[in-house]
Amino acid sequence: MARHLITSAIPYINGIKHLGNLIGSQLPADLFARYMRARGHEVLFLCATDEHGTPAELAAAKAGKQVAEYCAEMHAVQAEIARGFRLSFDHFGRSSSPQNHALTQHFAGRLDDAGLINEISEKQVYSHADGRFLPDRYIEGTCPNCGYDKARGDQCENCTKQLDPTDLIDPRSAVSGSTDLEVRETKHLYLRQSELKDQLDAWIDSKSDWPVLTTSIAKKWLHDGDGLRDRGITRDLDWGIPVRKGTEDWPGMEGKVFYVWFDAPIEYIACAGEWAAANGLSDADWQRWWRTDMGASDVRYTQFMGKDNVPFHTLSFPATLIGSGEPWKMVDHLKSFNYLNYDGGQFSTSQGRGIFMDQALELLPADYWRWWLLSHAPESSDAEFTWENFQSSVNKDLADVLGNFISRITKFCRSKFGEVVPGGGAYGPEETAVIADVAERCARYGALMEAMEVRKSAQELRAIWVSGNEYLQSVAPWTTFKSDPDKAAMQTRLGLNLAHLYAVLSAPFLPDASAAILKSLQVDEAVWPEDMNEFLSQLKPDQAFVVPEVLFAKVTDEDREAWQARFSGVRQS
RNA sequence: GGCGUUAUAGCUCAGUUGGUUAGAGCGAACGACUCAUAAUCGUUAGGUCCCUGGUUCAAGUCCAGGUAACGCCA
């Protein structure tokens, strides 16, 4: 038994995520976690909401709420939707947790002790009316380039020109509208990542089994231009983790908080602490996952993320861990995904384009989405969601190949032998052949799952479903029954055992359908097949079962057209 | 403008370190079956592997140049 620590990139608190976000990290991470648990490994699967930063403040203000209140509500909403998609987090934490406050401050202190923090004075805009410094995005004014009067201090949305707040004509606060602004000196902390460049470089070089996409992005950041740049890790905001040096005050940094990119990845660790606290466990219980001096040296740590997050996971976060000089568990394998596009363009949270997680669940149960998304995961390049493709994949794979198999075998059995597993002698040569075929495919499926080859795993799983249909078609128990009912009984028994196999193998992809099949076969516990001969004889003669409800109803043309129309524009609410 | 990724059957995609007749699923045509959600199974037809040049006994695969789409940065 191995120990697997699995984290998914943590979704930002600001609103409900779309299907592109889901397949970019949380869903494949869940697939991997479920598979590893099914194989009997010890798994800790963590995710959380990323709650700090300017967008959260803006969204809260727009909703007319305090930031803390807004974040608490949105965390509950996201947690509920995650449950809806059957994401099996051991804990769904919050980057605003007390654990993350303490740990982030701890890391900052350690980094400072190691001489890896610089204090730098810079000029920033202060708003007298708001009584605070304003981040670039909080300042609005007229774009000097195109004359657009709602340009932001970082960029003009109209002409896309990058700006400095001081470029704006008639600048005003986006918070209060006040024009009583002043440029002031303010001090910020910088993490001297450049000092750690060689260590990071060597560490990345040691990861020969990482995908090209991952290492090429990391190498580019390390070597392009001036190389790895030092980065500011503090901000003049109210909402966030107060800047402290461990448990001590940080002179000159009063009223400032850590920048979101610094504290968000630390939440991966803090989340384990939240998990322990929520389950009445001790510090040692989470530290054995994260501290190599406390038992984590045999942990295999895998991170899942979209490609836009790769630099943070390969450079910034490792810089924090290495720089601390403490024995923290570093990532072993890093699986990154490209983007999922929607009908010819990008999914977009800010523009409300595409299908959002809550809307998806209103249309169809989780298994449909899980199957389509995973079997079309954007692994080697960007992938495309179209309603036609979704309809045909889901109907063919789930309704016709898997669903219909379960239906035909259970109903055939009921009509000829009743709702019990029939006897009728031992398996013959045809059965031996199918069992061998399925065993071989199952081994391949396991290897692909182990390697996190998501699409190929889905293909192999589907091929295993097809084997059942092939078998039934070739031995035709409905024909056999006329001349040799005993033989037909035996063939039907294997068919039912195959249904059991499909329930177990499909569980990581289709947890609900899997549970439904097991329930109808009256199997209490799903156990992964080790010996296929043995497994496919587990359902014994005279064992009762119940014909299940239709597992997957088809998506009709009318459904598809209606949904296509409904999701053609941008989200209204 | 710079950089990156991609380009293979009507569609969605596989093609390991260059090695016989380039594969799968869907869709199409034909056939089989009738247990089943008009489901299933089989057979067949579809490809100048974006273009040009190069390296090699041998290139979808490596190199150079070009074209197109997308993305990131300026």
Side-chain angles (χ1 to χ4, degrees), chain A residues 163-227:
Chain A
L163 301 170
D164 273 327
T166 48
D167 296 337
L168 292 171
I169 302 163
D170 300 329
R172 61 185 180 272
S173 161
V175 180
S176 60
S178 166
T179 55
D180 186 10
L181 306 179
E182 177 192 337
V183 176
R184 283 191 186 174
E185 288 267 321
T186 179
K187 224 164 42 166
H188 281 295
L189 302 182
Y190 273 70
L191 175 60
R192 301 172 67 195
Q193 297 187 126
S194 52
E195 288 292 305
L196 296 162
K197 177 173 169 266
D198 292 343
Q199 285 180 70
L200 289 167
D201 214 1
W203 178 66
I204 302 238
D205 281 337
S206 74
K207 303 295 177 187
S208 54
D209 59 338
W210 282 9
V212 189
L213 179 68
T214 304
T215 43
S216 70
I217 292 174
K219 285 287 179 179
K220 178 170 145 59
W221 280 58
L222 273 172
H223 298 295
D224 264 21
D226 306 332

Side-chain angles (χ1 to χ4, degrees), chain A residues 103-120:
Chain A
L103 205 51
T104 299
Q105 290 162 346
H106 167 82
F107 273 110
R110 292 288 306 186
L111 290 166
D112 190 47
D113 291 345
L116 292 169
I117 301 276
N118 274 348
E119 293 186 12
I120 291 181

Side-chain angles (χ1 to χ4, degrees), chain A residues 406-418 472 476-481 488-489 491-492 545 547:
Chain A
I406 303 299
S407 179
R408 70 193 294 205
I409 189 62
T410 51
K411 286 182 181 168
F412 176 75
C413 184
R414 179 174 62 186
S415 74
K416 305 298 183 200
F417 308 103
L472 286 187
W478 46 92
T479 306
T480 317
F481 184 77
Q491 293 166 339
T492 304
F545 71 92
V547 172

